[in-house]
Amino acid sequence: MRATSWARDLWRQVLEPGQWSRRRLVVEGLVAAVLALLAAGLEDLSHSGPVRTLTVALAVAALSLLRRALPTPALIAAAALTGSTPGGVLLLVPVGWSAGRRIPGVLHAVAAFSVSGAVCVALTALHEPPTPATLVFTVLFYLVAAVVPGLASRYWAQRRTLLRALQERNTQLLRERQMVAGQARMRERQRIAQDMHDSLGHQLALIAVHTGALEVDRELTGRQREAVGVLREASVAAMHELREVVGILKDGVAEEPAVEPVSRVAAGIEALVESAAAAGTPVRLDRSGEPRPLAPAADHAAYRIAQEGLTNAYKHAPGAPITVGLRYEPDSLLVEVANGPAPAGHGPWPAAVSGGQGLTGLRERARLVGGMVHAGPVDGGGFRLAGVLPYGTKEAREETFVDAADDFRGQSGAVPPGDGGPVIDWSDPREEFENIMGSKKKNGLMIGCGVGLLILVGLAVALVFGVSKVMDEADKGMIEPSLYASVQEGDPEEQVRGKLPSGKSFLTSDVKDKGPAEPAGASCLSLLSTDTSKGLTTDTVYRFCFQGGKLIEKREFDVKN
């Protein structure tokens, strides 16, 4: 049962549909084909037979395809192939890269690389004499070809995982802040709505009740009753508008009417002018151009401009003539309220109260719909308030809680937390990301760089030591062909040995027994030739045999590696 389950898991890891997308299939196939061709080329250079060359190429291609699904077995098999044949040398780099990032756990990864390194060194020692220089070269090659790519790949994968986790955390923090800001804004708006309903609504209700009672007073004249009726209607209209504003503040969004409301520019402003005229104010309405519909926000802004202009004229220039103008231009609507100078003997009403925010609010309304507001005195006395509002504009979209330019990789999305800007001045998400990273990221980066630097220094020292060792061994066991030709049989042994190196080198340790039989009773010295014209797989050996204090034989022969 265990064997069946293990085989099923192995099959799922290797051939699971999600493991092999079209793109990965193409890329992995190309990489495997290239590595197989390179392995076949190296085998051909080492004069391997066609069967062995084909076998090595197929093994390299198979390990290349399996290096992601089975990182540990692929790493050990690649190390064994590298130690057994030159065709597997180039496979260690991609296999080590894949194993470094895919082997779970540090201990597991260290064990896998240690076992594969031991296998590579052991199999290399079986094919060549296990001299110190051979071991150093094998270990050095394994470190460069497998361990360094594995460390780099593992660091890169861990860095990507850390960045992804930090991005997700940053996104979650932004969303939580959006929720907190929206809830705080909603609570504040509900508090404001409650205060407005309790205080301002009560005062307006009292005004409506008292004016209604005063309107039916028999002692009033007809003109006085008409003026009181205007006040009552104004207070009732103010109560309706207050109720609408309170509803918007409580719910957070304005309710969409079931039927398209009548434009306040067409009907509302006309009603304002009629009410002012009924109250005895000299006001007239001028219209020009062909009426065109406005978006609800622009329509409401036009109504507020006319309302604010009439209110200011009532308070600051009572009795002055007022002109309300509606000019439908080709691209925008111009709403204008202009009053002349106050008549002699009239000044501002003593009871006039101003919060100083009327014009500021109008400018903000106009800006949100793409328009503008101008207010100022006119020549000859008087005051003019005008607003330019474009057609077809919709109410400006509320800004998202995180500005697009400051959003870290667009993580917060486009869903606003509520209507309006944030209630708290949050920090830039990128600064928050740096704070999350903190000193741990810097310390980890410094540690990683330090470890990498130590590995590079160690590799450099090993490389220098290996090169110097090879050169020293070459000086002890190799001579030039010209030196071989200058020595003649019959020369004194002392003179000949003075010209030749000692021959005590690992390079010549295995060639002594591969040549022809030595003369009986003679002492022979075997050296390698520096001439490599016969190929890397064939060594030329010069042998010098001495007897009776003289050189009795010098011989040249070839040895296959």
Side-chain angles (χ1 to χ4, degrees), residues 160-232:
R160 285 190 60 185
T161 303
L162 176 62
L163 287 176
R164 190 180 299 111
L166 291 174
Q167 291 167 10
E168 293 176 356
R169 177 176 174 81
N170 188 59
T171 303
Q172 182 180 0
L173 290 176
L174 292 177
R175 290 174 179 171
E176 291 177 356
R177 285 184 172 183
Q178 289 176 357
M179 296 173 61
V180 171
Q183 293 174 357
R185 188 179 303 108
M186 185 61 65
R187 288 195 299 268
E188 182 66 15
R189 293 169 70 171
Q190 290 176 351
R191 185 189 65 80
I192 295 173
Q194 188 66 35
D195 291 343
M196 291 177 63
H197 180 272
D198 293 343
S199 59
L200 186 56
H202 176 69
Q203 299 298 330
L204 289 175
L206 287 178
I207 293 174
V209 171
H210 287 296
T211 53
L214 187 61
E215 189 177 6
V216 297
D217 192 345
R218 296 179 180 180
E219 297 181 0
L220 297 181
T221 64
R223 182 172 179 80
Q224 290 173 338
R225 286 193 181 93
E226 187 177 354
V228 172
V230 171
L231 292 177
R232 185 182 59 81

Side-chain angles (χ1 to χ4, degrees), residues 137 462-472:
F137 269 114
L463 181 62
V464 171
F465 172 77
V467 171
S468 61
K469 184 66 175 179
V470 170
M471 294 179 63
D472 183 58

Side-chain angles (χ1 to χ4, degrees), residues 291-370:
R292 295 179 56 181
L294 279 79
D299 189 275
H300 191 68
Y303 177 81
R304 290 301 186 191
I305 291 173
Q307 189 181 48
E308 182 71 16
L310 288 172
T311 302
N312 289 338
Y314 298 155
K315 292 190 296 185
H316 301 292
I322 304 173
T323 301
V324 179
L326 294 177
R327 293 169 52 186
Y328 290 92
E329 302 291 343
D331 58 349
S332 59
L333 169 66
L334 173 62
V335 182
E336 180 183 33
V337 180
N339 62 273
H346 288 271
W349 293 107
V353 178
S354 175
Q357 301 297 322
L359 293 180
T360 302
L362 290 180
R363 291 190 176 95
E364 181 64 18
R365 286 178 181 273
R367 185 189 67 82
L368 291 176
V369 298

Side-chain angles (χ1 to χ4, degrees), residues 433-447:
F433 176 75
E434 293 296 334
N435 293 333
I436 293 175
M437 295 289 286
S439 60
K440 291 183 178 181
K441 175 185 176 182
K442 297 179 181 179
N443 293 338
L445 184 60
M446 293 178 62
I447 294 175

Side-chain angles (χ1 to χ4, degrees), residues 366-546:
R367 185 189 67 82
L368 291 176
V369 298
M372 59 181 296
V373 171
H374 169 74
V378 297
D379 296 337
F383 196 83
R384 176 176 177 267
L385 174 64
V388 180
L389 305 171
Y391 301 124
T393 60
K394 296 184 178 179
E395 187 171 359
R397 297 293 182 187
E398 297 153 352
E399 297 178 358
T400 55
F401 177 67
V402 181
D403 188 79
D406 294 332
D407 191 9
F408 183 78
R409 298 188 181 179
Q411 299 170 39
S412 62
V415 179
D419 56 342
V423 296
I424 302 176
D425 184 16
W426 302 112
S427 60
D428 192 318
R430 289 172 294 186
E431 296 179 0
E432 180 186 1
F433 176 75
E434 293 296 334
N435 293 333
I436 293 175
M437 295 289 286
S439 60
K440 291 183 178 181
K441 175 185 176 182
K442 297 179 181 179
N443 293 338
L445 184 60
M446 293 178 62
I447 294 175
C449 293
V451 173
L453 182 61
L454 290 176
I455 292 176
L456 291 177
V457 171
L459 292 177
V461 172
L463 181 62
V464 171
F465 172 77
V467 171
S468 61
K469 184 66 175 179
V470 170
M471 294 179 63
D472 183 58
E473 294 294 323
D475 291 339
K476 294 179 181 179
M478 301 182 70
I479 61 173
E480 297 286 340
S482 58
L483 180 58
Y484 174 77
S486 65
V487 176
Q488 303 296 327
E489 294 182 0
D491 291 346
E493 179 179 359
E494 183 178 356
Q495 178 183 352
V496 173
R497 289 188 179 273
K499 296 180 180 180
L500 302 178
S502 63
K504 297 179 180 180
S505 171
F506 74 91
L507 298 176
T508 60
S509 59
D510 61 336
V511 301
K512 182 176 181 181
D513 299 331
K514 295 182 180 180
E518 297 179 358
S523 174
C524 298
L525 173 64
S526 298
L527 302 173
L528 295 178
S529 173
T530 58
D531 183 16
T532 59
S533 58
K534 297 181 180 179
L536 298 177
T537 59
T538 302
D539 292 331
T540 301
V541 181
Y542 299 139
R543 190 175 68 183
F544 304 89
C545 295
F546 304 94

